[in-house]
């Protein structure tokens, strides 16, 4: 369905709402597969994990306001580039309640 997951070695990564910029909805994120990922050791995060930084965008879903259906060709346009952060899937839900996704649509 045009989505990507992030893996580093044998580990699958996930995106948690707590790691993204404030006010960003995980459902509005898209990954740019043409840009490289960056793996960063985070000693203070969950006892030490490798966090990945993933280039992506937030799409403007304002065109969906009060709309149940829309044309498939009317894909929402990116409104802001940002660096998404992902942690190993095994480590999710260890900080605060929130949203989580593994599969993110591509740009």
């Amino acid at each position: 369905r045009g989505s990507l997951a992030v893996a580093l070695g044998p580990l699958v990564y996930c995106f948690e709402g707590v790691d993204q910029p404030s006010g960003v909805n995980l459902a509005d994120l898209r990954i740019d597969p043409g840009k490289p990922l960056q793996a960063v050791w985070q000693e203070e995060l969950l006892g030490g994990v490798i966090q990945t930084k993933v280039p992506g965008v937030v799409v403007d879903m304002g065109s969906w306001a009060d709309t149940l259906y829309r044309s498939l060709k009317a894909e929402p346009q990116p409104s802001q580039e940002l660096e998404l952060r992902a942690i190993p899937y095994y480590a999710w839900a260890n900080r605060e309640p929130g949203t989580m996704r593994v599969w993110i649509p591509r740009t």
Side-chain angles (χ1 to χ4, degrees), residues 5-89:
V6 174
L8 182 61
L11 298 178
V12 172
Y13 279 67
C14 67
F15 299 85
E16 286 192 287
V18 68
D19 294 318
Q20 312 318 317
S22 179
V24 171
N25 184 338
L26 290 181
D28 299 341
L29 298 179
R30 303 292 185 267
I31 291 177
D32 185 347
K35 295 184 179 174
L37 308 179
Q38 180 184 9
V40 179
W41 174 253
Q42 298 288 340
E43 182 74 36
E44 71 287 348
L45 182 63
L46 302 167
V49 296
I50 294 178
Q51 184 179 54
T52 59
K53 296 179 180 180
V54 182
V57 297
V58 176
V59 294
D60 180 10
M61 299 303 286
S63 64
W64 275 76
D66 301 322
T67 305
L68 184 57
Y69 299 105
R70 67 183 169 101
S71 169
L72 192 56
K73 294 178 183 177
E75 180 66 26
Q77 295 301 308
S79 63
Q80 172 189 359
E81 289 188 12
L82 54 91
E83 181 178 78
L84 310 174
R85 295 176 183 261
I87 62 167
Y89 180 80

